[in-house]
């Protein structure tokens, strides 16, 4: 039989101290003489004792050391989106030094799947982060409220008792729309992010637009209205992926009266529209202007550089991490709205009829 794993009691006995004193030597907390700590650690090394069981420590503290991050989409799609990856990187970089780990919880996307992933209901987590979602009556948020889990809501509609981190996307889209109007465009279409969990694809009519579930999609459409733009067409997509932007571009640019400019609610969707224009033999921006949102570096789109609205992705992730830290400390952080900036590129210019 193998020797049993040494315990903290074994270390205490070897060092001739109480178990509570030995525990203090490992935790670094509380009053303990330097010589006593040295004797305890020497005894631990001699016995091959690596330290208190982390699970036991978590049980005693009442914390798991885990932050649940609810993605809101299938992980296979989220990790194809640089926006998701860069924001998560900023978040994890902030949580790591706090000794916190991350549990990624995918969104409920499969037909017939429950509205709330079982992990949301049962997994151990000290704080939850809902990424890119949040709507009135969101079942995920409702489940977290029932559990009493402190929550950070990212880019959602502000909720009482929930930490809110957002970006000023409505104002950013309004500035982008004004920029295109100043170039002389009047026939402007838009390609949107998903309206809700049903993730449809195609032209959206007035009834469909009135039922938009997700706050960030609605805000970005409202930004166009703030600029005085009534889109000639609104094409909704199921996800922020290049192929959905390409499908939208093909449909919009082959319509009976194609737009002279297309604003997409993400850079990946805008890049797909540019690829569709190239495929159709159209020049960007001479024949059609295309703009996006996010400010991503997309070298594979060369020689084009998207006109876009840049959002601070790493800083957004870090801000989420700081909100988590505040909630763990028992305080509710003030809502934070991060600024965005217009980044003109090579994909926008005056409409064809304004060119000499």
């Amino acid at each position: 039989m193998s020797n049993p794993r040494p315990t903290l009691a074994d270390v205490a006995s070897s060092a001739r101290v109480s178990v509570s004193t030995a525990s203090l030597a490992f935790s670094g907390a509380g009053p303990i003489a330097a010589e006593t700590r040295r004797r305890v650690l020497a005894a631990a090394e001699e016995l091959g004792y690596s330290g208190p069981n982390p699970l036991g420590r978590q049980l005693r503290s009442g914390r798991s050391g885990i932050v649940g991050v609810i993605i809101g989409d299938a992980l296979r799609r989220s990790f194809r989106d640089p926006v998701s990856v860069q924001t998560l990187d900023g978040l994890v970089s902030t949580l790591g030094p706090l000794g916190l780990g991350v549990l990624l919880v995918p969104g409920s996307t499969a037909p017939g799947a429950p509205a709330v992933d079982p992990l949301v209901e049962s997994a151990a987590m000290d704080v939850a982060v809902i990424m890119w979602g949040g709507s009135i009556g969101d079942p995920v948020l409702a489940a977290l409220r029932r559990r009493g889990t402190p929550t950070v809501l990212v880019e959602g509609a502000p909720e009482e008792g929930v930490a809110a981190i957002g970006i000023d996307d409505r104002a950013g889209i309004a500035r982008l729309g004004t920029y295109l109007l100043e170039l002389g465009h009047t026939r402007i279409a838009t390609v949107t992010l998903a309206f809700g969990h049903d993730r449809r694809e195609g032209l959206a009519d007035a009834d469909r637009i009135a039922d938009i579930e997700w706050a960030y999609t609605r805000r970005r459409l409202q930004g166009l209205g703030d600029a005085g733009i009534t889109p000639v067409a609104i094409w909704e997509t199921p996800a922020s992926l290049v192929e959905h932007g390409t499908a939208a571009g093909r449909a919009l640019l082959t319509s009976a009266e194609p737009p002279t400019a297309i604003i997409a609610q993400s850079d990946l969707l805008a890049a797909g529209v540019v690829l569709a224009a190239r495929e159709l033999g159209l020049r960007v921006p001479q024949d059609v202007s295309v703009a996006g949102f996010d400010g991503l570096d997309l070298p594979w789109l060369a020689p084009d550089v998207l006109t876009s609205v840049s959002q601070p992705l790493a800083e957004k992730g870090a801000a989420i991490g700081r909100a988590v830290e505040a909630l763990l400390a028992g305080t509710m952080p003030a809502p934070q709205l991060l600024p965005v900036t217009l980044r003109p590129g090579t994909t926008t210019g005056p409409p064809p009829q304004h060119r000499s």
Side-chain angles (χ1 to χ4, degrees):
M1 294 179 63
S2 60
N3 293 327
R5 182 181 184 272
T7 66
L8 184 63
D10 296 330
V11 173
S13 176
S14 178
R16 302 185 304 282
V17 299
S18 68
V19 172
S20 60
T21 298
S23 178
L24 289 175
F26 280 97
S27 70
I32 181 172
E35 173 57 27
T36 303
R37 178 179 283 109
R38 185 202 62 76
R39 195 165 72 246
V40 170
L41 296 180
E45 183 177 1
E46 182 178 348
L47 292 172
Y49 177 74
S50 58
N53 187 312
L55 178 57
R57 186 165 60 247
Q58 290 168 3
L59 291 173
R60 288 190 297 274
S61 69
R63 288 186 174 176
S64 66
I66 296 297
V67 176
V69 179
I70 297 95
I71 296 296
D73 196 1
L75 294 182
R76 66 181 180 275
R77 279 200 292 253
S78 293
F79 285 112
R80 291 178 59 194
D81 185 352
V83 174
S84 298
V85 174
Q86 292 180 39
T87 304
L88 284 172
D89 185 64
L91 171 58
V92 172
S93 297
T94 304
L95 296 180
L98 301 175
L100 298 170
V102 168
L103 170 67
L104 294 180
V105 182
S108 180
T109 58
V116 179
D117 189 285
L119 286 172
V120 174
E121 302 272 13
S122 61
M125 59 181 78
D126 299 325
V127 176
V129 177
I130 301 177
M131 306 288 279
W132 306 293
S135 58
I136 302 299
D138 185 350
V140 172
L141 182 55
L144 293 169
R145 286 188 186 277
R146 287 194 298 271
R147 291 188 62 181
T149 304
T151 302
V152 181
L153 184 61
V154 183
E155 295 189 47
E159 295 269 353
E160 185 178 356
V162 176
I165 302 295
I167 57 174
D168 201 2
D169 49 0
R170 180 169 176 170
I173 287 287
R175 177 69 189 93
L176 180 58
T178 299
Y179 176 72
L180 287 171
L181 290 174
E182 290 170 348
L183 288 172
H185 291 277
T186 56
R187 291 189 53 78
I188 300 173
T190 188
V191 178
T192 77
L193 297 167
F195 281 17
H197 288 93
D198 55 359
R199 295 181 180 276
R200 296 186 193 175
E201 185 168 24
L203 287 172
D205 59 20
D207 289 340
R208 178 68 178 160
I209 293 165
D211 286 336
I212 292 176
E213 178 183 354
W214 284 341
Y216 53 77
T217 303
R218 181 179 296 279
R219 282 196 309 270
R220 296 181 193 189
L221 272 177
Q222 289 170 334
L224 291 180
D226 295 343
I229 295 172
T230 300
V232 296
I234 297 174
W235 185 281
E236 64 172 303
T237 67
S240 177
L241 295 176
V242 173
E243 56 262 37
H244 297 309
T246 302
R250 289 191 191 112
L252 294 172
L253 294 172
T254 57
S255 62
E257 294 186 83
T260 64
I262 298 175
I263 294 176
Q265 290 189 354
S266 82
D267 280 351
L268 292 188
L269 292 173
V273 173
V274 171
L275 296 180
R278 291 177 181 174
E279 177 187 296
L280 294 169
L282 299 173
R283 300 166 300 162
V284 177
Q286 291 87 347
D287 298 318
V288 61
S289 288
V290 181
F293 188 102
D294 291 324
L296 297 179
D297 181 19
L298 302 175
W300 48 266
L301 200 61
D304 284 311
V305 175
L306 280 174
T307 292
S308 183
V309 176
S310 296
Q311 60 163 311
L313 295 170
E315 172 56 25
K316 181 168 70 175
I320 299 166
R322 291 191 294 271
V324 168
E325 183 178 13
L327 290 174
L328 286 173
T331 61
M332 176 59 66
Q336 189 168 0
L337 191 67
L338 301 173
V340 298
T341 56
L342 178 65
R343 185 195 72 182
T346 65
T347 60
T348 50
Q353 64 269 28
H354 285 203
R355 294 179 183 274
S356 56

